[in-house]
Each structure stands twice: as structure tokens, then as C-alpha cells.
Amino acid sequence: MKQSGYHFDGFHLVPATRELRKDGQLVNAQRMVFDCLAYLLEHRGRAIGRDELMSALWGRVDVPYAQVSHLVRRARQAVGDASGEQKVIRTVPDFGYRWVADVQVTQEEDSAEPVPPRAKADRLPALDRSGTGSVAASPGKALAPAADVSTSLPADVAAPASRRLRAWHRVGPAVLLLSAIVAVATYLALAHRRAPPTTSTLPSAAIVVLPLEVVAPGDAGWVRLGAMDLIAGRLRGAGLPVPSSDSVVAAVHAVGEPIDAEHRVALRRVLGVARLVEGKATRSSAGWKVELSSAGDDGLFSRAEVERPDVTEAARHAADLLLAAMGHSVAGPLADEHDGDSLREILPRAQAALLAEQLDAARAILSDVPEPARADPRRQILLARVELRAGKLDLAQSMLVALLDAPATASHPSLRAEILSSLGFIGLTRNDCVEAEHRFDDAVAAVGSRRTGLDVGAALSARGAARACLRRFGEAVADLSEAGPILSAAGDRLGLARLDNHFGVLEFYRHRPAEAVPYLEQAATVHESFGTVESYAADLALLVTVQVELLRWPDALASSERLWNLHGHIGDPARVRAMAGVRAMVLVRTGRQAEADALLRSAGSEKSPPDAALDLAFHQAEAELAWTKGDATQTLAALARAWAALPPAQMRDEEDIRTLLLGQRAAIASGHPAPAPHPGTGLPATEGGDSPIPLVAVAEWADHEGRPADAERAFREAGALAEARGVPSTTVLVVDAYVRWLLARQRSAEARAIAGRVLPWADRDFDSALLLARTYRAGGDVAAAERAREQARQLAGEREVDRDAVPVQIADPAR
């Protein structure tokens, strides 16, 4: 039986077998990406609306447009269609998409044995490390055996692309942003080992260099990771898409060792690649022998073997021989420009220690260098990265700033870009988005017209996130959109996961939490598969925040539980407190106060130095719990600790800004309003100045002072702003405050008209259901009040449902 196939721009797509090939090579496309391409292809005679595409691919039409756009972007990447060119898939403004590339339809013979969808793509053969022959890297292209390849070509051993500091925390999503942005986490393996399907689309030619097997006595253990990183850098320098060594180390931790046939399959899935490079370094009488082999699921195999007195020299030469065996040009002259370089072995050794999280060892290696080499900027940058990993931001910053001004780096754009990016990540860690954007801007400028490589993609992605933090959304979208194809071409699946997180951050800052969810879920899936615990935790923490904004309480409970279950893999007690704060906040708001109290007590007992940024979420949860217990004094005390971590004038996010309203309410309740900062008494404007929550505080303070007209004016302004924003949690907060104020003045008809706005969430949100019960009761609708009260009771948990549904007065109605 014959099936239709389609040829276009060097690609061949067969819907019946879910195969997509480029020049004969299988493209590893995610199922949804493939289905999107196939649907647009099969309906290429017309434009396809977004709703039609949703229905065809998801089976429903309530998918956020951002998720559809994200999928189309992935589909374009899979077929090499730049979003700016749109030679294959064209966007039809305000409607959808249309296939525009020329297509040749062929009839394919169906296989005698039907293959289920995705079976061919998932059927990855085990690699055979015993092979000795070199074969072509692409069909029909013969290569000489490794022994016939000319002598070695040198590699550039400048410091590899830097592993950025990772600071995980939740101080409101403004600083959660940092954990999503800062490029590299301390990679920890999850207790369970699993490899979910690949979700990021990478080029089919992407190659992964695995840790080397080392057969040698003594202290040569560093060669395992050091030579791996050196070889990966050499292949990357020749223009091949090679994921970062950080990504590989994380993936190996996640799937487990030894690297046997089963684990190779898992590694391909986690890393999203089809070709692996494996190696062995053996100490010999002549020095070191390095053997490398490259094999992919296409059955092609290449091999190289080199013996040299020095292991780094042998590794570089072996990498260049492998490049030649694979049919690629080598990067560099036919001479060893590293002869006489005293750092030739020291830098790979230190990098290996850093990859293995052995920070003290890395410091010792970098300290024990000959005097002339101590000022080498490569050594200084790597030493600063060690201090960044250790969390010594001030020390690392001073080292990097000194390097930036040093003459030795002035003429090296790549080194300057690396230093500037590291300074940008420090700025983000300190919640200084202005400084971070400035540094990343300079880093991007330093590389000039070069718009390729892991470092460039990471800098653009982080600059986009910093610009989102600054509410410069157009520029943020441009940066993130440019970063995507660069990271994809570089084979950086972790970079693409961070990019998904950054898009989620962007949507959050644009007050579109529903659109943020799919990005964060995608990022979490990839980070979980890699076992990158801190990155995974950052995704979950921000996901909890947007689910709370959407009043999706069961989802928020589930995500916060997943987050808290990771705490045993986090060594920093301050980060554990932050995780406890996120979880406890959801528990408090779902009526599980006793559980929240126990969690906060347990996490708070951990002894560690205070960390203002990381402790913010913890203190916010303490404040909310104290308020639910009716303890205004403890509420104010906890808020004072929270405001010390993040001053009110620096607040950007609703979760943080609402603490100002809580503080004002607690101050009024305690009879001592002066100590609490609030908009009604000259609080400096927050950076989240478009939030309606300060207007609610203004209204309640005006009412407290006996100015009802001013109060109502502010309530109305807050309501209009909340309606324009359309975020459920903010809408409920504003409506709840205004309706209670109206009920306290016996204006039940007006209250009922406004309370109707929370109806969509009354079946899942306690505050909405209780507000409706009080409103209906005040209006005399006893039956409706009882139904709403019963709904509130089901959602209450440990919270008390007022038996008579009497409105709680915010201020004395006699005023």
C-alpha cells in the first residue's frame, strides 16, 4: 500500500510513519511538532486559523494563543525556517498560519510490518564500543581510516563557556525570575531516574561528548571530565552543535552509570540528540593514548586514536582526527599553538573539578600555578566562576570588574563577553534588573556580528528576561525570539528549557498567567529529565505562583508538593526555607493552617546564616499564617522581616505588593498604624505601579480616616484596573474588599452587582464562595446564600465559615 510523502527544501516528511528527514538524516521532532507540520502541509492550499489548529492538534479550542505560537516556533525550527524569513510557514496576521514552501508529493511504499507512530524515532539501537573501523559520517561519503589522517591540529584551550551562578529563590516572581534566568545550577541527581520524552527540538546533527573512561594510576581522575570538556569545546569550535558539558554531566547523573546500551538510549532522550561521542584515556609508556568513537542512531560510526606525551595534547589531537573522520573541517592551524602554555593542563583540571562541584579542589588547582600565569585572564575568569558557584558574589564581582578593566582582556571580545555576562547574572541575583540589562547589553555588543554559540544564546536569553523584569516587553520578546534558534542550533536543550522559563516569566510580567503555564510546564519537564534540581525547583516555584494567580488551587497544591519533595536534594538551608515558604503560602490559602504551621516551624529550625532574598517567601508565609490566626502583632513582625528582604519601593509583583495591604490591615487592627508602610501615608511608589492593590490600600486607609468619598473613588479605580488586567486572584481581592465595604454600608444591591464578578471562581475559591454567601444573605436571598455557604464550607479546610454570613466590616460603618 502506498502512502503520501512530501519533499520540501531538502526535507522529506511521511505522515503515515511520522518520519521527518533532512538530506536523508532523521530529524528528532517532538510528536506535536511533527503533527503541526503535517497538518499545515496537508492543508497547504489555504490559511489555517489558530482555532482550527488547536482543534486538530489538541482536540479543543481553549488553548492559549501563546502555546500555539510556541508550537509553531518549534515547527519552524525543526525545518530550518527562521521566524523572520518565514519561507516555510507564514504567519497570517490576526488569523493563523499558512504553508508557503514549494512541495513535491511522492507515493511511499508502506512497510510490510506497520510501524506505530513514533516507533521509528524511538527505536534507538545500542552503540557498540568495540567497533574499530571508520565509516562515512553521511551516506555515500567515504572517509580515510583514522590512521591515514594527518597529524594533529591544535585546540583552543581558552576557558570554556562559563557556567553561570545559580541562585534559586522566591521573593515574589520578580526574584524568582533570577532562578529561572541565571544560567547554570548546581546539578543534583533526583532520587528517581527517569527520562521523559524529548520536548525541545534540536538539530539532528547535534553531538554529545560523554565523560571519558580513564585507565591510569594516581590522581588522573580529573581527565574524565576535563578531557570531555576540552574535546567538546574543540568540536564546538569547528561549528558543530555540541551541548554544554554542564548539560552532559547533569544528564549522566540523571540517567545513571555505567554508560551502557540502555543508558545511551536514555541519554539521547534526555539530551535530545542522536549522536554520542565516547572516549577512553589510557596511561601508556609513551604518555597518554586517547581513543574516541562517534556513533548515532543512523548506524554511522567514526573513530580516532592518538598517543602523545601529554593528555590534553592527546585529547585535542584525537578530537581533530575525529572531526576529520566525521567529514568536518578542523578549527585551527596545523601546529600546536599551546606549546609552552603553562595552563595547558591546569585549566582542564580546574574545569573538571568545577564540573564535579569540587570547589575547594578547583581553587587549589588554580592557586598552584607558576607566577607568570597567575595573571592570565583565563585563570582569573575560571577562579571567579568558582567563587560564583560558592555564592561569594562580592568577591566574584570584584574579580570580574578588575578583569574587565585589565589590558589583557581589552583585545579579546569573547573573554570580555564572558566577564560581562557573569556580571549580568550577579546583577540579576541581586534583583538589580537595570544593572543586569546593562551588563548583558554590553556582552551582546562585545561579540559584534557573531550571533551563534551557547554564550551568545545564553546572553540574549538572559537579557530578554532582564528586559521583561523592566517591563520593556517588545525588546524582551525580540531577545528571546532571537535566542531560540541560536540555542537550538547549538544543541543546547537546557538552554532551550531556560528560554521556555524566560518566556513564562515574560508572560507573567505581562499579567497573562494562563499563557505562562505551558512554558513553565515544558521547562519543568526538561529540567526534571536532566535531574537539574535547582532549575526544576525554580520552574515549579514560578508555576505555583501563576497557578495561585489563576486560582487553580488543586494545581497549586500539587505543584507546591512537587517543589517541597525536592528539599532533601537541596543542601542550602536558606533555599529550603524558601521552598517551605512557597508551599506554606498555598497551604494557608487552602485552609490547611496546621500543616503550614508545622512546615514553617520545621524549616525555620534549620541553622544557617540569614539570606534576605531567599527568606522573603518564608516571612511572607509566616505573616499570612499569623493573620489567619488573628494575631496582628505577629503579622506585622513577620512583614517587617519580609520588607527587610525586599523594600516596598522595589516591589514589582502582586504577591509582594499585597504584603503592603496586609501590613496596613494588621496595623489598623492592632491600633498602631504608624509602623506599617502603606500607600495612604506616603509610601514611595513601587516598581509595580500599575497594580490595583495599592489603590485598595488607599481606599481602606481613606475609610479608616473617615473619608468615604475618597475611599469609594479609590475602590472604583482599583476595580477598573483589576478588570483591565484580568488576573483572577487580583480581581477577587479587589472585589472582596469593595463589596465588604459596600455591605458595611447596607448597599446590598450595589454589592451584589459587583460581587457577581467572582462567580466564575466560586466553585473552587473559598474567598469567592464566602463573599457570595455574605452578599446573597445581605440581599435577602436566603436560598442562594445557603448554596454559596455550602460551597464555601467544602473549600474551607480549617477556616471558619461565618454561620450567619454576616459581612466582616473593614471600618466602623458609623464613619
Side-chain angles (χ1 to χ4, degrees):
M1 179 179 177
K2 292 183 178 294
Q3 302 287 348
S4 294
Y6 303 93
H7 286 275
F8 58 92
D9 289 346
F11 287 86
H12 183 205
L13 184 146
V14 183
T17 58
R18 291 190 184 277
E19 286 188 344
L20 176 64
R21 293 184 177 272
K22 168 66 172 175
D23 298 330
Q25 301 293 312
L26 186 67
V27 177
N28 187 16
Q30 183 193 9
R31 181 186 63 79
M32 288 288 284
V33 169
F34 185 95
D35 290 347
C36 178
L37 289 168
Y39 193 84
L40 293 172
L41 244 176
E42 291 171 343
H43 298 83
R44 60 193 177 280
R46 61 185 177 87
I48 305 298
R50 291 188 185 90
D51 289 349
E52 179 182 347
L53 198 59
M54 292 177 201
S55 180
L57 301 180
W58 280 274
R60 53 194 177 94
V61 294
D62 60 345
V63 179
Y65 282 174
Q67 190 171 354
V68 180
S69 300
H70 183 69
L71 177 62
V72 172
R73 176 169 64 85
R74 297 284 194 194
R76 284 185 171 128
Q77 291 173 359
V79 296
D81 186 23
S83 58
E85 297 177 359
Q86 298 189 9
K87 293 181 179 179
V88 179
I89 302 171
R90 180 173 299 162
T91 299
V92 181
D94 300 322
F95 181 75
Y97 307 92
R98 182 169 185 166
W99 187 278
V100 294
D102 291 335
V103 177
Q104 179 184 357
V105 181
T106 61
Q107 295 298 313
E108 311 289 330
E109 288 290 343
D110 196 7
S111 61
E113 184 178 338
V115 180
R118 294 289 288 171
K120 290 188 177 181
D122 292 340
R123 193 184 299 153
L124 305 179
L127 304 185
D128 181 6
R129 294 191 63 174
S130 65
T132 57
S134 297
V135 300
S138 58
K141 185 176 180 182
L143 297 175
D148 295 336
V149 180
S150 182
T151 55
S152 73
L153 307 177
D156 181 2
V157 294
S162 103
R163 280 183 72 174
R164 316 294 183 191
L165 171 70
R166 172 124 197 128
W168 186 87
H169 40 160
R170 156 70 177 88
V171 297
V175 186
L176 252 181
L177 159 70
L178 311 185
S179 57
I181 297 171
V182 180
V184 178
T186 299
Y187 290 125
L188 302 171
L190 289 173
H192 56 292
R193 291 174 174 174
R194 53 190 295 258
T198 296
T199 57
S200 297
T201 302
L202 296 179
S204 59
I207 298 173
V208 161
V209 181
L210 297 177
L212 271 65
E213 178 186 353
V214 180
V215 181
D219 61 348
W222 66 270
V223 174
R224 180 174 181 268
L225 298 180
M228 174 198 75
D229 188 65
L230 191 154
I231 293 164
R234 193 62 176 161
L235 300 185
R236 201 177 295 121
L240 295 181
V242 181
S244 69
S245 298
D246 292 309
S247 301
V248 177
V249 171
V252 170
H253 276 305
V255 305
E257 296 188 80
I259 302 174
D260 53 20
E262 180 182 354
H263 288 149
R264 291 186 190 99
V265 173
L267 282 169
R268 287 195 181 101
R269 288 177 179 165
V270 171
L271 291 160
V273 299
R275 183 162 291 276
L276 303 176
V277 171
E278 298 183 69
K280 182 177 180 180
T282 306
R283 194 69 182 260
S284 67
S285 58
W288 283 88
K289 181 172 69 173
V290 173
E291 305 165 77
L292 298 178
S293 62
S294 168
D297 63 356
D298 53 9
L300 300 179
F301 186 89
S302 300
R303 188 173 184 275
E305 180 179 318
V306 168
E307 192 165 10
R308 292 288 188 276
D310 178 77
V311 68
T312 57
E313 179 187 2
R316 285 199 307 276
H317 285 238
D320 290 336
L321 290 180
L322 186 67
L323 279 168
M326 294 166 61
H328 295 280
S329 300
V330 292
L334 280 168
D336 194 341
E337 73 263 36
H338 295 285
D339 283 343
D341 184 353
S342 59
L343 295 179
R344 179 172 57 184
E345 181 176 310
I346 292 172
L347 291 177
R349 289 184 65 184
Q351 174 66 8
L354 187 59
L355 287 169
E357 297 295 334
Q358 297 171 358
L359 303 187
D360 289 339
R363 286 192 194 95
I365 293 167
L366 291 168
S367 298
D368 187 21
V369 299
E371 186 59 38
R374 296 182 68 83
D376 191 301
R378 294 172 299 165
R379 169 190 174 271
Q380 295 290 87
I381 291 174
L382 192 53
L383 190 57
R385 286 165 50 202
V386 173
E387 302 308 336
L388 279 175
R389 184 68 58 78
K392 298 180 179 180
L393 301 189
D394 291 339
L395 176 58
Q397 183 176 30
S398 64
M399 296 171 64
L400 292 167
V401 169
L403 276 172
L404 194 61
D405 298 332
T409 58
S411 58
H412 292 81
S414 61
L415 292 181
R416 284 186 60 81
E418 185 175 354
I419 294 168
L420 288 163
S421 290
S422 295
L423 289 170
F425 288 119
I426 291 174
L428 287 172
T429 303
R430 289 175 167 155
N431 203 25
D432 190 343
C433 295
V434 174
E435 169 69 8
E437 193 271 343
H438 168 68
R439 294 298 191 182
F440 286 124
D441 201 41
D442 287 347
V444 173
V447 300
S449 60
R450 181 174 69 86
R451 282 294 202 264
T452 59
L454 293 170
D455 53 345
V456 178
L460 284 168
S461 180
R463 187 176 72 175
R467 286 174 167 176
C469 171
L470 296 171
R471 267 62 174 186
R472 288 159 55 186
F473 299 133
E475 294 171 281
V477 169
D479 277 345
L480 297 178
S481 298
E482 185 179 358
I486 294 173
L487 294 169
S488 178
D492 186 5
R493 191 166 180 233
L494 272 182
L496 288 171
R498 287 190 290 271
L499 186 66
D500 281 330
N501 187 294
H502 298 172
F503 269 111
V505 170
L506 172 64
E507 297 297 355
F508 172 83
Y509 276 127
R510 291 201 286 188
H511 310 304
R512 305 198 307 186
E515 284 75 8
V517 169
Y519 288 116
L520 296 171
E521 289 178 338
Q522 170 108 337
T525 296
V526 175
H527 285 137
E528 183 184 16
S529 72
F530 273 85
T532 52
V533 176
E534 293 190 0
S535 298
Y536 180 36
D539 298 330
L540 291 175
L542 187 52
L543 183 60
V544 170
T545 300
V546 298
Q547 288 167 339
V548 167
E549 284 208 332
L550 293 166
L551 301 179
R552 297 178 182 173
W553 296 114
D555 292 343
L557 279 167
S559 296
S560 65
E561 184 175 16
R562 290 165 64 195
L563 173 65
W564 180 243
N565 285 342
L566 299 175
H567 77 276
H569 301 279
I570 302 293
D572 182 358
R575 285 176 169 79
V576 172
R577 286 197 298 272
M579 298 165 76
V582 175
R583 171 68 171 165
M585 186 73 76
V586 179
L587 292 172
V588 170
R589 294 185 190 176
T590 51
R592 295 163 64 172
Q593 285 91 343
E595 190 176 345
D597 196 1
L599 176 59
L600 291 173
R601 288 178 184 276
S602 174
S605 66
E606 293 289 335
K607 301 299 182 183
S608 71
D611 186 321
L614 291 172
D615 284 342
L616 175 60
F618 185 84
H619 297 319
Q620 288 178 338
E622 284 184 318
E624 290 227 9
L625 179 61
W627 183 244
T628 62
K629 294 178 177 180
D631 191 335
T633 301
Q634 287 302 315
T635 300
L636 288 172
L639 287 175
R641 295 189 289 272
W643 293 330
L646 182 67
Q650 296 178 17
M651 292 178 179
R652 297 182 179 90
D653 311 316
E654 301 288 73
E655 193 66 38
D656 301 325
I657 294 170
R658 68 183 287 160
T659 65
L660 306 180
L661 178 60
L662 178 59
Q664 178 175 284
R665 288 176 174 176
I668 293 173
S670 67
H672 301 284
H678 53 81
T681 56
L683 176 75
T686 70
E687 295 189 28
D690 59 343
S691 171
I693 297 176
L695 285 169
V696 175
V698 168
E700 293 184 4
W701 186 254
D703 181 70
H704 176 69
E705 292 187 331
R707 296 181 282 112
D710 291 340
E712 184 149 20
R713 185 181 307 110
F715 273 131
R716 289 183 180 276
E717 291 177 8
L721 189 54
E723 189 65 26
R725 182 173 289 190
V727 176
S729 64
T730 304
T731 299
V732 170
L733 183 149
V734 173
V735 169
D736 182 80
Y738 189 16
V739 167
R740 291 188 186 207
W741 186 84
L742 290 170
L743 291 177
R745 281 147 187 79
Q746 289 79 47
R747 293 163 60 178
S748 59
E750 296 170 76
R752 180 161 183 160
I754 295 170
R757 184 64 184 87
V758 306
L759 270 171
W761 309 294
D763 63 340
R764 65 175 188 263
D765 179 61
F766 172 78
D767 291 334
S768 299
L770 188 60
L771 182 65
L772 289 175
R774 288 168 171 158
T775 305
Y776 295 150
R777 170 75 65 167
D781 191 341
V782 177
E786 186 55 34
R787 287 194 298 271
R789 181 167 168 268
E790 178 58 31
Q791 184 65 63
R793 185 185 298 108
Q794 294 176 11
L795 298 167
E798 298 164 26
R799 291 168 290 191
E800 182 179 352
V801 177
D802 193 1
R803 178 174 299 177
D804 297 322
V806 176
V808 175
Q809 299 175 359
I810 295 174
D812 184 350
R815 290 177 182 265

